[in-house]
Amino acid sequence: MDRETKLGNRFCRCEIPALFQQEQIEQKIAEYLSQLDREECVTDDIYEERLKKCSVCERLAGGLTCMDCGCFVLVRAKKKRLHCPKAGW
């Protein structure tokens, strides 16, 4: 599979090095989220509610990645225009 990691029926083709630690990934995601326009984002309360639903979902991989859509849940949960393919938020 080379650099691809199979997640269910999804493949991650990102260029994040395998040795990148989860803390570093979360830091990069936080940096990205801090640059988003507030109009694009849900409120902090809605964000926390969405993350709670993701945290108990059986399709969450490694606490960061949704196996249904392949996204980082910390990003998907923050953006107004994005929705969960499974949990229905």
Side-chain angles (χ1 to χ4, degrees), residues 50 53-54 57 66 68-69 71 73 76-77 81-89:
R50 288 177 168 191
K53 289 181 180 180
C54 288
C57 181
C66 174
D68 281 337
C69 67
C71 74
V73 296
R76 180 174 286 276
R81 66 180 176 83
L82 300 179
H83 301 281
C84 173
K86 182 151 177 92
W89 40 258

Side-chain angles (χ1 to χ4, degrees), residues 33-74:
L33 292 177
S34 72
Q35 296 175 10
L36 291 177
D37 184 346
R38 291 187 74 119
E39 295 297 315
E40 292 181 66
C41 301
V42 297
T43 65
D44 290 342
D45 290 340
I46 292 173
Y47 183 57
E48 291 302 319
E49 182 181 315
R50 288 177 168 191
L51 290 178
K52 278 185 193 177
K53 289 181 180 180
C54 288
S55 72
V56 296
C57 181
E58 70 277 358
R59 303 296 293 157
L60 181 64
L64 290 174
T65 307
C66 174
M67 291 191 298
D68 281 337
C69 67
C71 74
F72 286 121
V73 296
L74 296 171

Side-chain angles (χ1 to χ4, degrees), residues 4-45:
E4 297 177 348
T5 303
K6 188 171 183 177
L7 299 173
N9 62 350
R10 309 279 305 184
F11 289 90
C12 178
R13 292 181 176 85
C14 62
E15 293 298 318
I16 297 173
L19 298 177
F20 227 115
Q21 295 181 6
Q22 184 168 339
E23 182 179 295
Q24 292 168 307
I25 294 170
E26 290 172 354
Q27 179 183 358
K28 292 293 184 185
I29 291 171
E31 289 172 12
Y32 170 78
L33 292 177
S34 72
Q35 296 175 10
L36 291 177
D37 184 346
R38 291 187 74 119
E39 295 297 315
E40 292 181 66
C41 301
V42 297
T43 65
D44 290 342
D45 290 340

